[in-house]
Amino acid sequence: MKLKIIIILTIIVFLSQFQASAAGVYLGSFTPKQSESFKFSIPVQNLDGEIISIYTTGDYFRSDNQKIGSSNLKLISREDSFPLSSRDLNIEKDRLLYNQNLNLELDLKAEYEPGLYKNSLYLKDEIKIIEIEIIFEIRPWMEILNGTAQNAKIENVENRTMGLFSSGQQNILIRSNTDWKLKVMIAKENTDNLSIRVAADSESRSFVDYKSEFVNLNAVETVIANGSNTAKLSSGQVEIFYQLRIEDFRKVIAGEKDYQMSFSLE
């Protein structure tokens, strides 16, 4: 019985010497439309001993449904930088700290999807473990690269069909890191009963959903296509082509007509 008590007391004394403390650090909110790196300094106090061990909870920063490698977070020492992971990185304390600050660099890519990402960083010295929860947010972004207002021309020329079509291929270039919808609207004064249809280039088709038939245009925004994270494509963007049609040329005045449309994403 006495032996058990001695063993328990020994364990309690050992654990009281090896303490863990926890803190959280929010690095910020980012919109990386290209590969970018961000640097941070985190104050760290009371690290003892000459060698410090550093590691993360797991090999990923995780959001609700996505993950980013923990190696995207790098520890900057006086001479070099080290990708972090769940494996222990042992480094001399004098190489690690600048005025009691831990210096980090976070690498982000345009393809990373929106979310609040978290992982814990552990600093272990001779007698304690310091836990620092690292948190950062990636915001959703989307853009039309070649402008939201575009012109398309229809010229009333000899045609064996009743319909008139815009000449040439008009295109819309879209980049995003999230799901999107492409909308189009035409000016209220238009009375020519225009319709529009879209298509996509071969690389974009797996990221874009659209109807191939003509859709009527009016002064109310109309969804003509939707898609997902385009940053995962090799080009980083999708290319959507569109064409206008007037169904019956007899209902419009002869000659070239210029139509301005407004495109938007949501």
Side-chain angles (χ1 to χ4, degrees):
M1 184 66 178
K2 290 183 178 181
L3 180 60
K4 289 183 178 179
I5 293 173
I6 292 172
I7 292 173
I8 292 171
L9 289 174
T10 303
I11 292 173
I12 292 173
V13 170
F14 175 78
L15 291 176
S16 66
Q17 291 178 342
F18 202 79
Q19 301 173 346
S21 59
V25 175
Y26 179 67
L27 298 183
S29 182
F30 307 99
T31 310
K33 294 184 180 180
Q34 57 187 2
S35 295
E36 296 184 69
S37 295
F38 305 89
K39 293 185 178 181
F40 311 91
S41 291
I42 299 174
V44 178
Q45 302 296 328
N46 303 322
L47 284 172
D48 299 311
E50 295 182 0
I51 303 297
I52 304 300
S53 181
I54 302 176
Y55 55 95
T56 57
T57 298
D59 289 330
Y60 297 98
F61 286 91
R62 296 183 183 273
S63 66
D64 290 339
N65 51 17
Q66 299 294 328
K67 61 184 181 181
I68 295 173
S70 60
S71 59
N72 283 46
L73 185 66
K74 297 177 182 178
L75 174 69
I76 302 174
S77 74
R78 294 184 182 277
E79 300 88 12
D80 208 344
S81 63
F82 305 93
L84 295 173
S85 70
S86 58
R87 296 183 180 181
D88 284 21
L89 170 65
N90 297 313
I91 187 169
E92 296 175 8
K93 185 175 68 175
D94 289 343
R95 294 175 57 199
L96 176 64
L97 298 179
Y98 299 80
N99 299 321
Q100 298 300 312
N101 283 320
L102 191 68
N103 293 279
L104 303 170
E105 183 175 76
L106 179 64
D107 297 333
L108 296 178
K109 297 180 180 179
E111 67 190 55
Y112 293 154
E113 297 191 9
L116 192 67
Y117 292 82
K118 302 178 182 179
N119 198 358
S120 287
L121 179 66
Y122 294 92
L123 307 176
K124 184 170 65 175
D125 64 14
E126 293 177 345
I127 62 171
K128 62 181 174 297
I129 299 175
I130 298 175
E131 179 185 357
I132 304 173
E133 186 179 34
I134 305 294
I135 305 167
F136 63 89
E137 181 183 13
I138 294 180
R139 294 190 298 265
W141 60 269
M142 58 186 72
E143 60 184 358
I144 297 176
L145 297 180
N146 54 337
T148 57
Q150 296 207 8
N151 292 320
K153 297 181 186 298
I154 293 181
E155 186 176 0
N156 193 348
V157 296
E158 287 188 16
N159 199 317
R160 294 182 181 179
T161 68
M162 301 290 284
L164 297 176
F165 300 88
S166 58
S167 58
Q169 286 186 321
Q170 309 287 328
N171 70 343
I172 293 286
L173 301 176
I174 297 172
R175 292 182 71 232
S176 80
N177 72 338
T178 188
D179 295 343
W180 50 269
K181 292 181 180 180
L182 176 63
K183 292 183 172 184
V184 62
M185 184 172 65
I186 198 161
K188 289 183 180 180
E189 58 268 20
N190 173 65
T191 58
D192 290 341
N193 296 317
L194 284 174
S195 58
I196 187 172
R197 69 177 174 185
V198 298
D201 70 348
S202 57
E203 184 190 31
S204 304
R205 284 173 196 153
S206 60
F207 283 75
V208 180
D209 184 27
Y210 57 88
K211 295 180 180 179
S212 57
E213 63 266 22
F214 280 94
V215 177
N216 289 333
L217 275 173
N218 50 54
V220 179
E221 287 184 321
T222 303
V223 176
I224 56 174
N226 57 75
S228 54
N229 185 343
T230 71
K232 293 182 178 180
L233 290 166
S234 59
S235 64
Q237 64 187 31
V238 296
E239 186 171 11
I240 296 176
F241 302 100
Y242 67 90
Q243 185 180 40
L244 297 184
R245 181 187 70 175
I246 297 174
E247 188 172 358
D248 188 345
F249 72 88
R250 295 172 302 179
K251 297 180 180 180
V252 298
I253 300 173
E256 182 180 277
K257 306 199 75 173
D258 187 358
Y259 298 97
Q260 185 173 54
M261 295 167 295
S262 297
F263 291 91
S264 62
L265 294 172
E266 72 164 27

